[in-house]
Amino acid sequence: MKGVIFNLFEEFIVETFGDEAWEKILDASPHEAREVRVGPLTYPDGHLLHLVGAACEVSGLPPEKAVRAFGRFLFGGLARKYPGIASQFAGPREMLQGIDSVIHVEVNKLLPGAETPRVLCQEHDDGSLTLTYESSRKMCTLLEGLLDGLEAHYGVTVERRHDVCMHQGAPRCELRLTFSAARAAA
Amino acid sequence: MSEAVLQRKLARAEAKVRLLESLIEDKTRELYLQTVALKASNETLERIFDAMPGPVLVLDEHLVVQRFNRSALKLLEATPLLLTGLPATRFFPTIEASVARVDVEGGAVMTEAEWRLEGPALPVLATLARFSDGVERHVVVIATDLRDRKALELELRHAQKLEAIGALAAGVAHEVNTPLQFISDNVDFLVEALTSFDAFARRIEEAAPGIWSRVSEEPAFEELPFFRERIPKSLGRVKSGLERVTEIVRALKDFSHPGGEKAPVRLAPLVHRAVTVGRHELKGMDVQVEVPEGLEAYGYESDLNQVMLNLLVNAAHAIVDRHGDATLGRIRVFVDGGPEQVVLHVQDNGGGMPPAVQARVFEPFFTTKPVGKGTGQGLPICRKLIVERHGGRLWFDSAPGEGTTFHIGLPVAAAPSSGATHEPTRRAAGG
């Protein structure tokens, strides 16, 4: 996992629960998960899981809820950090369609060695999209959080049905997305 | 925020800065090394591009020359200054049609074209393809110089023509030989019969003196004394003419005999044969052959026939060019050499060659003869036959206004036998 994700996680905790909470999380984490990290370097995924686990203990949030909330925050954080990437897309639909072909290509230019998941889109006649997510990390909850962030960023509501899930033994997750009219920006 | 937390945050921030500094240093070093490697790689590619034996040109979207290699400069006999920014249509007039084909057919398109910048027209096989550097579309043109191939094709056609003529000459010689033989036999018979009749007439005259004079005075037989005197001479001339025709036919047959294997070749008959076959060109000239009868060289007889004839005919032309009168021409063919090599010399008293001609005399298609009179192929082919086929040498000495001597160095097959004659054979070619 790239350092930028760790650092945005720290920002998320500090913004949501305060500096003291982050110190507590660090204290509650194993020694190796406390190291200082910088954006372009790669760190073990397990360190993030330790930090998330500690964050759940400290905040009292269940892990799923914590990860989804982080996903929402992560979208905004990444959009702020890399405005040139987000601004390439006319809307949420285009952004989702460009995850693999544009966003992950750019991510790999900025952060060589990033292990990006495979995210593909299929359009349907009724205007809905099927988003297919495939990753050894199985972080579809984080993806849902990112979709929350997408809604907030573009001021739209994206109804989703997550009927096919890797956590239920499927080889990949499939999310059927239906876009509603624009709403006031969150 | 408590002071303790602040200090921990500060410590982490400092550690992060140190980490970033070290990261920047690593990346800077990496960037430097990669830049150096990239530069080296670019230079290597540039050198490969420049050293490519085939001419390569890179054109922009408007078919203007942007880059080229050394071979392209050499082919077009151009300077970098002239070629840079030059519209390719200036030397490749049909390029627009070829590029249109590339756009329709895709991939690479090959086309034969004539390129001409400032020198003579160049036959070229041009391969064109499009490529994009991410910013602009380009056309790359790879050329193959077809001059050698065209020359070889011409040489082959020439050789095929010669072969056909040779085969025809051999056929004609064979056909002519049979009637020639019976004409000759009948002339011999007539000479014999006439000799017998003459002896008979002499016996009559002895038996009856004065009878020949009396009979000759009759009007019907008044030309008998004249016939008696002239018919033997007339038949002698017929026989001499027939011998010459027989010699020419035999020389033609031998000359056009297919090359076969490399073998010892007797040089004296070879030179005489060439003189006989080239008799028409050598007519009236004093041709002196000083070649020992037993002397042999190792080679292909038909090739050596061709070389010798070519040198003799060239000598004859040089003589006519200088003197205008063939009877003033002198050609001497003589030999020397050592135990391993025999050198045949063909010396003429023609006009000689100025240095500019001497420098180019073995170049294919170079000729000083008028259009239609010479192909410029003779001497290049001779050199090729001697040097490449025989491992020998062909060179010359020439003095303008005095004459030229061509020298053919060939490996020796056998030394002249002890009894070989070395008496010069002087022949007035023609008459």
Side-chain angles (χ1 to χ4, degrees):
Chain A
M1 190 76 77
K2 285 291 175 187
V4 65
I5 306 296
F6 285 88
N7 291 339
L8 282 169
F9 184 68
E10 179 183 343
E11 273 184 41
F12 163 66
I13 295 295
V14 169
E15 270 192 29
T16 314
F17 304 106
D19 286 305
E20 304 280 349
W22 180 245
E23 298 305 324
K24 281 183 191 166
I25 289 167
L26 286 183
D27 289 343
S29 300
H31 180 75
E32 65 272 17
R34 294 182 208 168
E35 67 175 315
V36 168
R37 298 176 183 86
V38 290
L41 296 188
T42 306
Y43 302 93
D45 290 358
H47 291 189
L48 187 66
L49 295 178
H50 285 308
L51 291 169
V52 170
C56 291
E57 276 181 30
V58 169
S59 66
L61 283 173
E64 250 191 46
K65 206 167 174 186
V67 170
R68 182 157 174 168
F70 172 55
R72 187 179 198 280
F73 182 88
L74 183 63
F75 185 95
L78 291 172
R80 271 198 315 278
K81 249 181 157 9
Y82 308 111
I85 299 179
S87 65
Q88 290 183 37
F89 303 104
R93 194 184 281 276
E94 289 79 7
M95 179 178 260
L96 291 172
Q97 285 167 335
I99 289 175
D100 252 29
S101 57
V102 179
I103 296 174
H104 288 165
V105 173
E106 294 296 326
V107 165
N108 271 287
K109 286 183 199 166
L110 292 166
L111 308 169
E115 284 179 42
T116 50
R118 188 171 158 80
V119 182
L120 298 173
C121 268
Q122 188 194 345
E123 277 197 84
H124 300 288
D125 292 343
D126 60 0
S128 63
L129 283 179
T130 294
L131 195 72
T132 309
Y133 167 83
E134 199 175 341
S135 167
S136 58
R137 295 184 178 117
K138 298 186 182 180
M139 294 180 81
C140 52
T141 310
L142 188 71
L143 176 67
E144 293 250 22
L146 284 164
L147 288 171
D148 295 341
L150 179 95
E151 283 182 321
H153 184 83
Y154 286 105
V156 293
T157 302
V158 183
E159 272 182 39
R160 59 202 91 151
R161 267 177 38 211
H162 190 165
D163 295 335
V164 179
C165 183
M166 296 170 83
H167 292 291
Q168 290 163 3
R172 61 191 70 82
C173 291
E174 285 179 17
L175 286 84
R176 183 78 174 236
L177 309 179
T178 309
F179 294 80
S180 71
R183 65 177 190 191
Chain B
M1 192 189 308
S2 71
E3 193 182 329
V5 169
L6 202 59
Q7 276 187 351
R8 284 176 68 172
K9 276 180 86 81
L10 188 62
R12 282 204 302 276
E14 282 172 354
K16 204 176 267 192
V17 168
R18 283 195 297 277
L19 190 59
L20 283 170
E21 275 178 354
S22 126
L23 190 66
I24 288 167
E25 282 170 9
D26 286 350
K27 287 289 164 192
T28 306
R29 192 177 304 113
E30 200 177 299
L31 189 64
Y32 169 76
L33 293 174
Q34 281 178 352
T35 306
V36 168
L38 193 63
K39 200 173 160 202
S41 164
N42 262 343
E43 282 173 1
T44 304
L45 286 174
E46 283 287 339
R47 278 196 288 271
I48 291 171
F49 178 72
D50 206 39
M52 278 172 76
V56 183
L57 295 124
V58 178
L59 317 176
D60 69 10
E61 178 67 24
H62 307 291
L63 308 181
V64 170
V65 177
Q66 288 189 316
R67 295 185 61 190
F68 42 82
N69 63 0
R70 240 179 310 167
S71 298
L73 283 178
K74 194 175 164 198
L75 178 73
L76 288 164
E77 294 179 10
T79 61
L81 194 66
L82 174 66
L83 209 51
T84 308
L86 189 75
T89 46
R90 278 280 311 280
F91 57 87
F92 185 178
T94 55
I95 189 171
E96 283 164 337
S98 301
V99 172
R101 270 185 61 204
V102 173
D103 291 338
V104 171
E105 296 171 20
V109 161
M110 292 171 98
T111 179
E112 277 199 27
E114 269 206 349
W115 287 13
R116 185 200 294 267
L117 188 53
E118 288 179 344
L122 301 165
V124 156
L125 177 68
T127 307
L128 297 93
R130 277 212 186 265
F131 74 95
S132 170
D133 59 11
V135 180
E136 199 189 344
R137 290 210 311 159
H138 300 269
V139 174
V140 61
V141 183
I142 302 172
T144 306
D145 184 353
L146 294 182
R147 278 177 296 184
D148 285 350
R149 201 184 86 184
K150 295 278 179 197
L152 279 173
E153 284 172 2
L154 197 66
E155 200 175 292
L156 183 65
R157 278 203 296 276
H158 187 69
Q160 285 169 337
K161 202 161 76 180
L162 284 177
E163 195 182 336
I165 291 170
L168 189 67
V172 169
H174 181 75
E175 291 303 319
V176 168
N177 206 36
T178 309
L180 205 58
Q181 191 60 50
F182 70 71
I183 292 170
S184 185
D185 291 348
N186 280 287
V187 168
D188 287 344
F189 167 74
L190 286 176
V191 169
E192 196 183 330
L194 195 70
T195 307
S196 180
F197 269 115
D198 195 52
F200 174 71
R202 274 198 301 274
R203 286 289 304 276
I204 295 287
E205 182 75 8
E206 283 166 15
I211 192 165
W212 181 256
S213 306
R214 282 197 301 281
V215 172
S216 306
E217 283 166 3
E218 290 178 23
F221 305 112
E222 65 185 2
E223 285 188 291
L224 266 181
F226 174 74
F227 289 156
R228 196 175 168 197
E229 183 195 338
R230 297 305 297 265
I231 283 175
K233 289 180 184 169
S234 177
L235 281 174
R237 280 200 295 274
V238 169
K239 188 145 180 67
S240 161
L242 275 171
E243 280 167 2
R244 188 181 295 173
V245 172
T246 305
E247 186 189 358
I248 292 170
V249 167
R250 188 183 304 119
L252 265 179
K253 274 176 73 180
D254 292 346
F255 195 84
S256 46
H257 192 270
E261 295 296 311
K262 210 171 179 183
V265 177
R266 290 174 61 224
L267 293 177
L270 180 130
V271 175
H272 286 302
R273 207 158 46 231
V275 171
T276 302
V277 173
R279 186 184 296 269
H280 176 71
E281 301 285 347
L282 301 167
K283 197 169 183 179
M285 296 177 193
D286 177 16
V287 180
Q288 196 172 338
V289 179
E290 299 165 26
V291 181
E293 278 304 322
L295 187 63
E296 292 179 340
Y298 195 62
Y300 298 97
E301 191 162 355
S302 61
D303 287 357
L304 299 179
N305 280 334
Q306 191 179 339
V307 172
M308 184 50 65
L309 179 63
N310 211 298
L311 295 183
L312 286 171
V313 169
N314 277 355
H317 289 173
I319 285 165
V320 172
D321 285 348
R322 178 185 176 192
H323 302 287
D325 179 359
T327 59
L328 297 176
R330 282 196 313 280
I331 296 174
R332 184 173 166 235
V333 183
F334 58 102
V335 289
D336 59 28
E340 292 180 356
Q341 183 182 246
V342 60
V343 183
L344 266 166
H345 309 274
V346 181
Q347 186 182 56
D348 68 60
N349 66 338
M353 293 183 279
V357 173
Q358 291 182 29
R360 302 188 59 194
V361 80
F362 290 119
E363 277 181 25
F365 309 109
F366 174 76
T367 180
T368 56
K369 293 173 186 172
V371 175
K373 290 282 180 189
T375 62
Q377 288 281 75
L379 285 173
I381 290 175
C382 286
R383 171 118 116 181
K384 197 169 184 168
L385 293 176
I386 296 299
V387 176
E388 292 179 18
R389 293 256 294 170
H390 291 80
R393 291 196 302 144
L394 178 65
W395 73 105
F396 61 88
D397 297 305
S398 187
E402 290 179 23
T404 301
T405 305
F406 271 88
H407 316 281
I408 310 166
L410 291 166
V412 166
S417 66
S418 55
T421 60
H422 197 160
E423 289 301 309
T425 312
R426 190 180 289 272
R427 323 174 46 146

